[in-house]
Amino acid sequence: QITLTQQAESLWISPGERVSITCRASQSLLYTDGKHYLSWYQQRPGQTTKALIYHASVRTDGVPTRFIGSGSGTEFTLSIEHVQPEDFAIYYCLQTLKSPLTFGSGTKLEIK
Amino acid sequence: QIQLVQSGPELKKPGESVKISCKASGYTFTDYAMHWVKQAPGKGLKWMGWINTYTGKPTYADDFKGRFVFSLEASASTANLQISNLKNEDTATYFCARIAGSPWYFDYWGQGVMVTVSS
């Protein structure tokens, strides 16, 4: 199965700063259609889990432009520019290229 | 608007069974597969498998074969997860999530159901 590694369990930052969360896959997530099957999700207490990014870099409807997905092959990054108070949450990457679908272990964004 | 609304929290004893539901609204239920995801307390997300809402065929991840059953009440736009012979390690929040066709990502999630297994 494909393993996704999010090395940072927690990241401490101040509101207004920029942060990058990385996700490394054990094999390439590039499919023959030229797209990467890597998506990012946000979990906040009391809220439903929210999809932020799919195909590694495409924002879902309504997601603010400060959320930026990038990367290719096996290395992916979710960047958040000018972090807002509501962005302090847990972020997960997910690969849907091959079954079983697998998630990264999650990265918690905490207020410094 | 599109919603996945799950049933309420459950408290069960080891060996018992539980059935949790996920009612979809705002779209044609049979057009999108439904997936199930487990999150143990303080832990990450783990994919359990999915059910084809058109044919009713379930597919289970290896760790969820045997005691776990995905089913449908298609007329009610509802997907169900039943867990039998509950164990302490089944204590978790269980999410349903709809997968968006070609982009293949979970575009809508249920709010989750906390299942607690304790004697």
Side-chain angles (χ1 to χ4, degrees):
Chain A
Q1 70 175 40
I2 298 175
T3 301
L4 296 184
T5 301
Q6 291 181 246
Q7 277 202 306
E9 193 172 316
S10 295
L11 292 171
W12 284 266
I13 62 162
S14 300
E17 290 184 339
R18 185 181 193 275
V19 66
S20 291
I21 299 168
T22 60
C23 175
R24 179 176 293 117
S26 58
Q27 58 185 270
S28 175
L29 300 184
L30 178 65
Y31 188 51
T32 53
D33 62 3
K35 297 179 171 61
H36 290 87
Y37 284 80
L38 186 285
S39 47
W40 289 95
Y41 301 84
Q42 178 192 63
Q43 256 198 343
R44 287 194 286 175
Q47 311 263 324
T48 57
T49 303
K50 182 179 180 181
L52 301 172
I53 301 284
Y54 65 92
H55 285 165
S57 62
V58 181
R59 270 186 296 274
T60 64
D61 290 346
V63 170
T65 55
R66 64 179 182 273
F67 290 90
I68 300 166
S70 62
S72 62
T74 61
E75 301 274 339
F76 301 91
T77 301
L78 173 68
S79 299
I80 312 172
E81 296 187 335
H82 308 297
V83 170
Q84 301 298 300
E86 61 267 29
D87 301 337
F88 290 94
I90 303 175
Y91 293 86
Y92 293 92
C93 53
L94 164 71
Q95 70 81 19
T96 52
L97 180 68
K98 289 184 182 176
S99 184
L101 307 189
T102 48
F103 289 90
S105 54
T107 298
K108 187 174 185 179
L109 220 53
E110 301 196 76
I111 301 176
K112 192 191 295 184
Chain B
Q1 76 280 24
I2 295 169
Q3 282 189 298
L4 300 178
V5 179
Q6 298 186 243
S7 48
E10 301 272 3
L11 175 60
K12 295 289 184 181
K13 290 181 167 48
E16 293 184 338
S17 296
V18 69
K19 187 175 185 178
I20 60 180
S21 66
C22 170
K23 182 168 177 58
S25 60
Y27 71 97
T28 301
F29 181 68
T30 52
D31 283 352
Y32 297 84
M34 193 69 76
H35 291 240
W36 291 92
V37 175
K38 176 183 179 181
Q39 186 169 38
K43 301 295 185 183
L45 302 168
K46 186 167 186 175
W47 180 72
M48 300 174 67
W50 64 287
I51 186 163
N52 183 318
T53 53
Y54 186 76
T55 64
K57 180 186 175 188
T59 300
Y60 302 96
D62 284 348
D63 287 349
F64 299 97
K65 290 178 179 174
R67 298 186 297 114
F68 300 82
V69 175
F70 307 147
S71 63
L72 301 175
E73 295 170 51
S75 60
S77 299
T78 298
N80 301 306
L81 164 63
Q82 183 162 350
I83 312 172
S84 59
N85 188 21
L86 282 161
K87 304 178 186 305
N88 290 332
E89 54 264 37
D90 296 325
T91 294
T93 297
Y94 293 87
F95 297 94
C96 58
R98 187 186 90 158
I99 199 151
S102 174
W104 281 98
Y105 73 100
F106 295 140
D107 59 351
Y108 289 93
W109 293 65
Q111 83 276 19
V113 175
M114 179 68 202
V115 174
T116 303
V117 183
S118 175
S119 53

